[in-house]
Amino acid sequence: MSAPNAPDTPGAPNTQGAPHTTGALDARAAPGTNGTPHTRPLRFGYGTNGLTDLRLDDALGLLADLGYSGVGLTLDHMHLDPLAPDLAARTRHVARRLDRLGLTATIETGARYVLDPRRKHGPSLLDPDPDRRASRVRLLVRAVQVAADLGAHAVHCFSGITPDGTPDATAWQRLADGLASVLDAASSARIPLAVEPEPGHLLATLADFHHLRRVLDDPVLLGLTLDIGHCQCLEPEPPADCVRAAAPWLRHVQIEDMRRGVHEHLPFGDGEIDFPPVLRALADCGYQGLTVVELPRHSHAGPELAARSLDFLHHAAALAATPAPGGSPSFRPASGPSTTPAAVREASPRGGTP
């Protein structure tokens, strides 16, 4: 993928007329008055794409029992199917379940085969066929409505992989056109749209996200999903620095371990990320959306990993809140080069999110 032109220097986003919806929009303000960090604890969630062997009601009950604050709810056939009949009634049931359990939600749209049973994540917003692109737009608009009905704090999405033979300029225009329609729906529903930079996709990095902002004229409800593992995988700066740079646009955070140059979502401790500085950066910027564990290939061990992950994050957050003299605490020495790798190796076949 060819990188777009260098983005404009990120500055304060345009907040003129910004609606008040949830804490996700308030996160624009980043640190508190006079640079004093917010002290509210981070809110951890777990993604249902890592609990696909459980019924949704059971998965939500598990997360509440473990002490999670919320859930990253992927719209897919095994949980809340966006294409099945009576979506509104099923969404009302989920809303009641979330309310009873005291959970909040982010809506995620990374289901592998929800639209096309033969092509992973197809069709995307970059598909050469306008009718197929329109089906992705309809899914995202439906996700916005589900998010509004659930009181979710954001809707996650991604660009997709540039089809072979498609010029970059054409791909970016297709992405902008598709997201413009989704942003119209997001504005009506007062739900932020959180685009995720995804290794191997047209929009793969934070620089690409800022390019999209410029193309779309920086709409208020265009925000960012920051995946901490992806930062370790391919961003030139360490993950904690990525958090600080992305803070004004953060609407959703995904978190897992990862290694430099390898796009493979790993349980905490199996990769290279030093997590206390990352959690400290999130706390310092005042982020109050969900920080959702993203382990889509570990559903076979989902209940166990959900328990272990929350213990790990609580421990890392405690270390982050009590820095050792002389510097930030860490679980391991920082590792990996500080420059963007020449290539990212996929731990799964070409197709973005594992």
Side-chain angles (χ1 to χ4, degrees):
M1 179 192 74
S2 301
N5 295 332
D8 51 327
T9 302
N14 174 20
T15 58
Q16 181 66 34
H20 180 77
T21 56
T22 67
L25 281 183
D26 297 340
R28 285 185 184 278
T33 305
N34 298 323
T36 302
H38 291 279
T39 57
R40 289 182 293 177
L42 296 174
R43 301 192 302 135
F44 298 120
Y46 201 91
T48 59
N49 61 1
L51 296 170
T52 56
D53 292 278
L54 278 67
R55 298 178 183 87
L56 181 56
D57 277 1
D58 292 339
L60 297 178
L62 169 74
L63 298 181
D65 288 347
L66 290 174
Y68 279 94
S69 298
V71 59
L73 176 54
T74 296
L75 301 183
D76 206 351
H77 66 89
M78 76 291 292
H79 286 149
L80 187 57
D81 186 344
L83 304 184
D86 302 322
L87 177 62
R90 290 179 291 110
T91 302
R92 286 194 295 271
H93 169 80
V94 174
R96 290 191 295 268
R97 179 76 169 150
L98 291 170
D99 184 61
R100 285 195 298 269
L101 295 171
L103 297 173
T104 57
T106 301
I107 297 302
E108 305 209 10
T109 61
R112 298 184 183 99
Y113 296 101
V114 69
L115 290 178
D116 188 330
R118 293 174 176 82
R119 296 174 181 84
K120 182 180 174 185
H121 297 311
S124 78
L125 294 171
L126 310 182
D127 197 287
D129 185 334
D131 290 337
R132 287 174 58 80
R133 292 199 302 273
S135 69
R136 176 61 63 172
V137 170
R138 286 193 296 272
L139 176 68
L140 294 176
V141 169
R142 187 166 295 188
V144 168
Q145 184 58 59
V146 170
D149 292 344
L150 294 181
H153 71 80
V155 170
H156 150 277
C157 66
F158 47 77
S159 68
I161 294 170
T162 305
D164 291 340
T166 303
D168 274 3
T170 300
W172 282 105
Q173 191 60 55
R174 288 175 184 167
L175 178 61
D177 290 345
L179 288 181
S181 298
V182 183
L183 284 163
D184 286 343
S187 179
S188 297
R190 301 164 67 87
I191 298 290
L193 190 65
V195 180
E196 179 186 8
E198 183 77 35
H201 284 210
L202 173 71
L203 198 158
T205 65
L206 288 172
D208 295 335
F209 169 73
H210 290 301
H211 178 73
L212 177 65
R213 284 180 47 237
R214 183 172 58 187
V215 170
L216 288 171
D217 197 25
D218 198 16
V220 169
L221 285 171
L222 179 66
L224 175 71
T225 292
L226 188 69
D227 188 304
I228 301 303
H230 295 172
C231 296
Q232 176 69 20
C233 180
L234 54 67
E235 292 287 350
E237 301 299 328
D241 289 349
C242 292
V243 169
R244 296 185 185 93
W249 299 275
L250 278 185
R251 301 295 175 267
H252 183 42
V253 173
Q254 296 171 345
I255 193 166
E256 70 285 314
D257 220 336
M258 203 168 285
R259 300 187 183 98
R260 187 71 175 166
V262 182
H263 184 203
E264 181 179 11
H265 292 231
L266 299 171
F268 297 118
D270 289 358
E272 301 170 340
I273 299 176
D274 186 18
F275 285 95
V278 173
L279 299 184
R280 178 65 181 177
L282 285 169
D284 284 351
C285 78
Y287 174 70
Q288 282 294 296
L290 289 175
T291 299
V292 172
V293 179
E294 182 82 355
L295 292 174
R297 290 194 176 273
H298 292 78
S299 214
H300 61 283
E304 176 190 354
L305 279 172
R308 284 171 42 194
S309 297
L310 190 58
D311 287 345
F312 183 99
L313 289 170
H314 281 160
H315 182 45
L319 286 178
T322 55
S328 298
S330 64
F331 285 173
R332 60 173 72 86
S335 58
S338 59
T339 57
T340 303
V344 173
R345 180 170 68 82
E346 287 286 344
S348 59
R350 187 174 186 262
T353 304

